[in-house]
Amino acid sequence: MVDKWETKRGLADALNDHDVHRLVDLFTEDAVFVSPVGLMEGREQIGWFFEQFFQGFPDLHLAVWYEATGTDNPLMVEWTVTGTHAGPFLLPDGRELDATGRRITLRGSCASFVENGKIATHREYFDQLELYTQLGLHLASDNPALA
């Protein structure tokens, strides 16, 4: 029997190695990945999601600083991710943001449900506005009363 925490920690290791193949192999075929950026279903979409982040932040690094090891499922961790925006990064509206050279530091947490040694559901929680602000983006409104 595979230790659930071994699987969860393997996800952080694969992410830090930018190893998409090893990363997606930690998920079930029909895994669901939920984040502020969107919903990914299945290994192909999950791999695509991480490829986008690695392309935009080729030095992306995740530091896990808290593990809720007293739980069985979901496995919860808190983390900080850092990186330099050195490549194109896909925005929610479908446009790509060209490299800005800006450094990001983003705090978040995630919950993984592990079944038979594979991640079946993974949920990321982070402040998307904090990420975009660090990239130099700003909120805009179509409402003239707010302009």
Side-chain angles (χ1 to χ4, degrees):
M1 179 175 162
V2 177
D3 179 87
K4 291 178 182 179
W5 278 103
E6 182 179 321
T7 301
K8 178 75 169 174
R9 291 177 183 128
L11 179 61
D13 292 341
L15 191 141
N16 283 329
D17 291 342
H18 295 206
D19 188 336
V20 175
H21 297 292
R22 193 168 90 226
L23 193 146
V24 297
D25 189 50
L26 293 166
F27 289 87
T28 62
E29 290 289 335
D30 60 347
V32 175
F33 186 103
V34 181
S35 87
V37 180
L39 170 71
M40 283 63 65
E41 297 180 278
R43 288 179 173 173
E44 185 176 330
Q45 289 182 11
I46 293 168
W48 178 87
F49 170 80
F50 282 104
E51 286 171 351
Q52 299 307 306
F53 264 93
F54 297 152
Q55 181 180 6
F57 302 92
D59 63 345
L60 187 79
H61 178 78
L62 176 82
V64 174
W65 47 272
Y66 176 75
E67 295 178 337
T69 55
T71 65
D72 181 43
N73 245 345
L75 307 179
M76 304 283 300
V77 302
E78 291 181 280
W79 47 259
T80 300
V81 70
T82 57
T84 307
H85 181 218
F89 182 64
L90 189 62
L91 298 172
D93 65 2
R95 292 179 298 139
E96 280 190 345
L97 177 64
D98 291 331
T100 62
R102 290 174 175 254
R103 295 273 307 152
I104 63 157
T105 300
L106 190 63
R107 295 161 295 133
S109 63
C110 60
S112 298
F113 288 86
V114 178
E115 299 171 359
N116 300 317
K118 300 285 184 182
I119 300 168
T121 304
H122 183 83
R123 295 184 180 106
E124 293 279 338
Y125 303 95
F126 64 87
D127 186 341
Q128 195 173 16
L129 182 58
E130 181 180 24
L131 170 62
Y132 295 135
T133 300
Q134 290 180 39
L135 292 174
L137 301 174
H138 305 283
L139 288 176
S141 174
D142 292 340
N143 184 341
L146 298 175

